[in-house]
Amino acid sequence: MSLGKILLVDDEPAFCELASSWLTSSGYDVVTAGQSDKAFSVLDTFDADLVLLDLSLPPEFDPQVTLANIQRFGARPVIIITGHAERELALEAISQGAWDFIAKPIDPDLLAVVVKRAVSKHVLEKELALVKQTITPKKDASDFIGCSANAQQVRALIERIAPTDVRVLVTGPSGTGKEVISRTIHELSRRSGDSFVSVHCGAIPADLLESELFGYTKGAFTGAEKDKQGLLALADKGTLFLDEIGEMPLPMQVKLLRVLQEGTYFPVGGRDEKSIDVRVISATNADLVSKIAAGGFREDLFYRIKGINIETKPLDERLEDVSILVPSFLQQLSHRHKQTYSLSEEALDWFRQQRWPGNVRELKNALDSVVSIARDGEVTLSDIALLYPDKVSENNSELIEASTFRARPTSSSHANLDTSMEEQVKQLEIQLIRMALAFHKGNRSQAARQLGLSRQGLINKSERYGL
């Protein structure tokens, strides 16, 4: 197998024959040319990985002409071959893009080393360019973070349905990532190059929702001084995300049903029917089946939007996801603030043990808050206790002390003359022993080492103080 292709350009036949022999025996394919014009014609059929170029070539024998031709060899490395008297010109050639230069008479070992480096670099650059052209980054649903069975099922569904145009209904409690799911479906779809338009059906007043969705014509109502495109038109060819669709008023549900059935609509005050090509993804935290039974949601619309149902679970039912979500959010905060953030082990345990009625949104907001007051970028249990004192139980008190054990010196501000020195020393030793044991999770050897005691010395003190 050839190690690479080399074009040797030199007007001395004897040198060309000798150098070709050296290079061929080393495993290269070599083609020679006696002048520049011939060299460029050779390259039409011989895609060289390297050019060995003599500095003085016929018919001009002018080194400056050769220097001017270096750029014509493109991205290929060019090694200049020169006599001793032309060393300055060779250095000028390097400044104009040549890879290296070799002075005659040529040492075969030196030639082998320089050629190998240049060819290897060019071959790698060609392979990298080919990889970039032929391989596109793999897209997946990793934006929906979690390791629970529900999270894995959601990601699998996203990746299956995203390339299609099937309508999707995302259900689940508030704060569980319904919009993240919807955006990810859009980004993995064939419509990803067009708009993702989000409409919060419960946040827009009922009397404005129609004009916001469908747009309006000039004079349609007081204040309509010119035509205005609606959100449907903005979403054309892309994805329309109807968030909290369960809050949509019944009259508007009827008009949306027509859009989904026929793909057409009329702007408010307009008589020209508009066509629309959108993928509709809906989301709600409501029980639509119960709303249908109560007359608050149209059954025919329900079946129009419910092509595929993706259900998200409350965070309380997938607490194992907290261990994945917290580091991910920390990484996002680190990137945003250009500072590295971390959690102590006790702080991470606290996040894992909490119940999050606000789900992922509440977890993220809580993490944002404690990070803002953390010292040196590390969140400790004592930081959490400052913001959430009612949620840090008495069982965590020793852990709070332990989380600051290394960094906080023992204060002497509580010393007083009403208690004997012996008693105060005793209480201080008890406090330090408890903190060390808590910090090292009951490991006496490590706690003793932390306190500068032998393991037996720690045991003796613990027995003396009844610990």
Side-chain angles (χ1 to χ4, degrees):
M1 180 178 176
S2 172
L3 297 178
K5 299 177 179 179
I6 298 175
L7 173 60
L8 172 57
V9 187
D10 195 291
D11 62 328
E12 297 181 18
F15 173 76
C16 286
E17 183 176 352
L18 181 59
S20 295
S21 176
W22 292 339
L23 295 169
T24 301
S25 63
S26 296
Y28 298 99
D29 290 336
V30 183
V31 171
T32 63
Q35 56 187 42
S36 297
D37 290 343
K38 173 67 173 172
F40 294 125
S41 64
V42 167
L43 291 175
D44 291 337
T45 55
F46 183 74
D47 186 15
D49 298 305
L50 170 67
V51 177
L52 290 169
L53 182 65
D54 186 32
L55 199 53
S56 297
L57 292 170
E60 297 89 357
F61 293 99
D62 184 351
Q64 294 300 330
V65 174
T66 303
L67 294 179
N69 284 332
I70 289 177
Q71 298 300 325
R72 293 179 61 186
F73 290 104
R76 301 175 182 88
V78 176
I79 296 177
I80 295 296
I81 302 171
T82 175
H84 289 292
E86 297 162 332
R87 191 177 185 85
E88 290 184 4
L89 285 172
L91 293 173
E92 183 182 348
I94 290 177
S95 70
Q96 296 192 27
W99 167 264
D100 205 341
F101 72 91
I102 301 178
K104 292 181 179 178
I106 291 177
D107 179 347
D109 293 334
L110 175 62
L111 179 65
V113 171
V114 175
V115 165
K116 182 179 179 180
R117 288 176 54 210
V119 170
S120 297
K121 176 179 180 293
H122 184 63
V123 170
L124 286 174
E125 287 176 344
K126 286 202 303 184
E127 290 176 351
L128 180 59
L130 183 62
V131 168
K132 288 181 177 179
Q133 291 174 3
T134 58
I135 298 180
T136 56
K138 183 182 184 298
K139 294 183 177 181
D140 57 29
S142 57
D143 283 348
F144 188 77
I145 302 165
C147 60
S148 64
N150 177 246
Q152 294 179 51
Q153 181 186 27
V154 167
R155 285 197 296 270
L157 274 173
I158 290 172
E159 292 175 6
R160 289 284 188 91
I161 66 179
T164 73
D165 264 348
V166 65
R167 290 170 186 154
V168 182
L169 175 62
V170 188
T171 58
S174 294
T176 52
K178 296 190 292 295
E179 184 165 355
V180 172
I181 292 171
S182 303
R183 286 187 180 276
T184 304
I185 292 173
H186 172 73
E187 289 167 2
L188 299 182
S189 75
R190 64 180 180 83
R191 298 175 181 268
S192 59
D194 293 291
S195 299
F196 177 89
V197 177
S198 178
V199 183
H200 195 299
C201 301
I204 303 174
D207 55 343
L208 295 179
L209 185 56
E210 181 180 2
S211 61
E212 285 294 310
L213 269 178
F214 296 159
Y216 53 80
T217 61
K218 181 180 178 181
F221 48 82
T222 303
E225 299 178 354
K226 59 181 180 180
D227 293 353
K228 180 183 177 182
Q229 272 193 331
L231 297 173
L232 276 176
L234 294 176
D236 192 26
K237 309 300 181 187
T239 300
L240 179 68
F241 175 51
L242 299 173
D243 196 10
E244 298 305 340
I245 194 170
E247 303 300 318
M248 181 177 283
L250 281 169
M252 192 64 222
Q253 293 180 30
V254 177
K255 295 177 180 179
L256 177 62
L257 183 62
R258 173 185 170 84
V259 175
L260 299 183
Q261 287 175 335
E262 302 178 15
T264 59
Y265 68 96
F266 288 94
V268 176
R271 296 187 178 182
D272 294 331
E273 190 175 53
K274 306 290 186 181
S275 296
I276 189 76
D277 172 23
V278 294
R279 180 183 195 166
V280 175
I281 302 176
S282 308
T284 183
N285 62 6
D287 182 350
L288 293 184
V289 175
S290 297
K291 288 182 75 76
I292 291 169
F297 200 83
R298 293 183 62 94
E299 186 175 16
D300 48 4
L301 178 59
F302 174 71
Y303 288 112
R304 282 288 178 183
I305 62 175
K306 184 183 176 292
I308 296 289
N309 183 200
I310 296 180
E311 182 181 4
T312 62
K313 298 292 186 183
L315 193 54
D316 277 359
E317 296 180 18
R318 49 187 180 97
L319 285 175
E320 61 266 46
D321 287 346
V322 174
S323 298
I324 307 296
L325 288 163
V326 169
S328 177
F329 292 151
L330 275 179
Q331 186 176 17
Q332 293 172 22
L333 288 169
S334 297
H335 179 72
R336 186 190 313 158
H337 298 151
K338 295 180 173 56
Q339 179 180 347
T340 301
Y341 294 109
S342 62
L343 262 73
S344 69
E345 188 174 342
E346 294 83 7
L348 181 57
D349 284 342
W350 183 87
F351 275 97
R352 289 173 180 148
Q353 293 164 9
Q354 297 308 302
R355 292 295 179 263
W356 301 99
N359 297 297
V360 178
R361 184 180 294 123
E362 183 186 4
L363 170 67
K364 186 175 186 304
N365 288 341
L367 190 62
D368 289 348
S369 299
V370 296
V371 161
S372 68
I373 65 168
R375 294 177 177 177
D376 301 322
E378 183 183 25
V379 176
T380 66
L381 200 59
S382 57
D383 297 322
I384 296 171
L386 285 174
L387 295 181
Y388 302 98
D390 296 337
K391 290 188 176 182
V392 178
S393 67
E394 292 182 2
N395 294 333
N396 295 128
S397 60
E398 288 187 350
L399 287 176
I400 295 173
E401 292 181 338
S403 68
T404 56
F405 182 66
R406 284 199 183 108
R408 186 182 66 194
T410 303
S411 172
S412 61
S413 61
H414 300 295
N416 62 80
L417 296 175
D418 297 330
T419 306
S420 69
M421 181 181 295
E422 182 180 357
E423 179 61 25
Q424 292 187 62
V425 170
K426 173 185 173 181
Q427 294 303 321
L428 178 59
E429 286 191 345
I430 290 173
Q431 181 186 8
L432 289 172
I433 291 171
R434 283 177 172 169
M435 289 172 65
L437 288 170
F439 185 81
H440 293 290
K441 295 182 170 54
N443 187 308
R444 291 183 173 181
S445 296
Q446 293 181 8
R449 191 177 302 113
Q450 177 85 53
L451 295 168
L453 301 172
S454 66
R455 187 175 187 277
Q456 188 58 49
L458 177 61
I459 292 173
N460 292 340
K461 282 183 179 290
S462 297
E463 289 176 349
R464 183 190 315 155
Y465 297 140
L467 300 178

